[in-house]
Amino acid sequence: MRWTFSLIQKATKQLSLTAPPKSSDSNLSVKSKLKSSNSAACTSTTTTPTTAETATTSVSLVKSQEDACATCPESLQSVTALTSSTAVSSSSTASRCNFIPNLYHELDMNLTIHGLLDFLETSEKVTNPFMALEALWTWSCSSRSDCSMYYFHLNATLQRIFRKRSWSLIPGDFGLHLHLSFLNISSFIYPENENLRNWIIIKSENSSGPKLISQLTVESKSIKFYFVHPSVKSCTLPGRCGFILKPVILQNGIMKLLLCTEKKHYRNVDVHFHQEVRAEKMHVFFTVCDKYNISNYTNIPLTWLDSKLLSGYEVIKSERFVSKLRNTCNGSFTVLYKT
């Protein structure tokens, strides 16, 4: 045994002596390429725009960003951004991913209620409490089961999931208007006197009926928002502060919603962009108003509706879903922004 082990050691030593040395120049070259690739999509920001420019998205630019944004921490871990109140200054250099994280996800509508709750508890796709409640909303529209049958089990299990995943409560303006009758929603939202806390509600200037949602499947169709970021104390730029969101299609056919950040995106529009505004701090959904009482409105989650379901707004062909949209008039895209 000792003789055999000695031979193995000797052979290993000879192989190590004859192996070519690793080139430090080669390692630097690889690192340089990786760094260059990542910077294409997770862009670096150093200054604020000085003029209001373009609303035309460069699709070719977005397509070249695909690989880098796939590794961007903000796009993979939106929960971090949604629980952080740190503002990013335009005077500092910061890596950013400009894709809105909560859109175009797929949900298995064939899951049982127990399978759905297991999914909410363990899936890496569910990164924050908004996505969890929206999954319940979307699933309940297509399920043949009456969710009220599971009232006590649903509430107890969801509260346990919130604790296990260290999720915070959500704004009442979002949770209450999901109209989840099978949940004791007060267990999951801020107290009334702290309704929004560190959140800001921003509504799009595009206003129309529910079919407006189909814009999310039309490449480069712009959705405009007016919004003054809390850290922008004074602005002398022409037009109003705000931002533009545009659907884009990547080379692999996957759709994303892009926050337009470059000067050229804002040409010939009445809105200009400040680099303090960050995509990873946004949660996008849709809001429709009752045509008989505009103060009564419903939030329509978009997170778990992929591009096929969103197309033409034939989202879920079920009586439960259609009933939520009866007697509605104007609708608008809404952004919950974490400050």
Side-chain angles (χ1 to χ4, degrees), residues 4-247:
T4 303
F5 182 69
S6 176
L7 283 177
I8 294 173
Q9 279 189 318
K10 185 176 180 181
T12 305
K13 185 175 182 181
Q14 287 177 341
L15 285 173
S16 65
L17 289 173
T18 56
K22 294 181 180 179
S23 169
S24 58
D25 292 339
S26 174
N27 288 341
L28 288 173
S29 176
V30 172
K31 289 180 180 178
S32 176
K33 289 179 181 178
L34 287 173
K35 184 176 181 181
S36 175
S37 172
N38 284 337
S39 63
C42 300
T43 57
S44 185
T45 303
T46 54
T47 57
T48 54
T50 54
T51 58
E53 298 187 357
T54 159
T56 305
T57 298
S58 172
V59 177
S60 60
L61 173 65
V62 173
K63 288 176 178 177
S64 71
Q65 293 180 352
E66 178 189 354
D67 292 337
C69 274
T71 61
C72 180
E74 289 90 347
S75 65
L76 295 176
Q77 300 179 15
S78 58
V79 66
T80 302
L82 292 176
T83 56
S84 172
S85 59
T86 305
V88 179
S89 170
S90 62
S91 62
S92 61
T93 300
S95 176
R96 65 189 299 156
C97 180
N98 294 322
F99 292 142
I100 306 302
N102 79 289
L103 291 182
Y104 308 110
H105 297 283
E106 294 184 10
L107 180 67
D108 184 357
M109 301 298 181
N110 295 317
L111 288 171
T112 64
I113 184 62
H114 302 290
L116 177 64
L117 290 171
D118 287 342
F119 173 75
L120 299 183
E121 182 172 2
T122 61
S123 176
E124 293 180 356
K125 294 181 180 180
V126 187
T127 59
N128 59 65
F130 298 96
M131 295 180 74
L133 292 180
E134 288 177 324
L136 279 170
W137 189 98
T138 306
W139 182 88
S140 70
C141 289
S142 63
S143 173
R144 296 177 182 177
S145 302
D146 182 0
C147 291
S148 61
M149 294 171 55
Y150 307 103
Y151 182 88
F152 294 105
H153 176 68
L154 263 176
N155 283 274
T157 305
L158 198 59
Q159 288 181 47
R160 180 178 57 78
I161 292 173
F162 265 59
R163 290 192 299 269
K164 179 179 177 179
R165 304 197 67 167
S166 299
W167 285 340
S168 62
L169 299 177
I170 65 173
D173 273 19
F174 175 81
L176 288 170
H177 295 280
L178 286 175
H179 300 300
L180 294 171
S181 58
F182 51 84
L183 275 186
N184 178 17
I185 196 65
S186 61
S187 299
F188 307 100
I189 63 175
Y190 294 131
E192 188 174 353
N193 62 338
E194 301 180 41
N195 180 22
L196 286 172
R197 195 173 287 190
N198 296 322
W199 295 89
I200 298 174
I201 291 180
I202 315 164
K203 293 190 179 296
S204 68
E205 292 307 303
N206 314 58
S207 183
S208 184
K211 285 189 176 181
L212 186 68
I213 292 179
S214 63
Q215 282 193 8
L216 290 174
T217 62
V218 181
E219 189 173 20
S220 293
K221 185 76 174 180
S222 65
I223 307 169
K224 182 175 67 175
F225 298 81
Y226 295 133
F227 171 55
V228 180
H229 194 280
S231 66
V232 178
K233 303 302 182 184
S234 177
C235 177
T236 58
L237 296 176
R240 297 176 62 177
C241 301
F243 57 89
I244 290 172
L245 302 180
K246 282 179 180 286

Side-chain angles (χ1 to χ4, degrees), residues 252-264:
N252 57 7
I254 292 177
M255 292 207 75
K256 294 284 186 179
L257 190 62
L258 177 75
L259 169 64
C260 299
T261 60
E262 298 184 26
K263 295 179 182 180
K264 63 181 180 180

Side-chain angles (χ1 to χ4, degrees), residues 294-339:
I294 59 174
S295 63
N296 183 23
Y297 59 93
T298 300
N299 292 332
I300 307 294
L302 304 174
T303 296
W304 300 104
L305 304 176
D306 61 27
S307 57
K308 292 179 182 178
L309 290 174
L310 286 166
S311 181
Y313 198 56
E314 294 184 19
V315 184
I316 301 174
K317 296 178 181 178
S318 73
E319 180 63 22
R320 293 181 190 175
F321 187 84
V322 173
S323 68
K324 295 177 185 293
L325 302 178
R326 285 202 182 109
N327 301 324
T328 59
C329 55
N330 281 354
S332 61
F333 292 99
T334 307
V335 170
L336 262 178
Y337 192 87
K338 179 70 172 177
T339 58

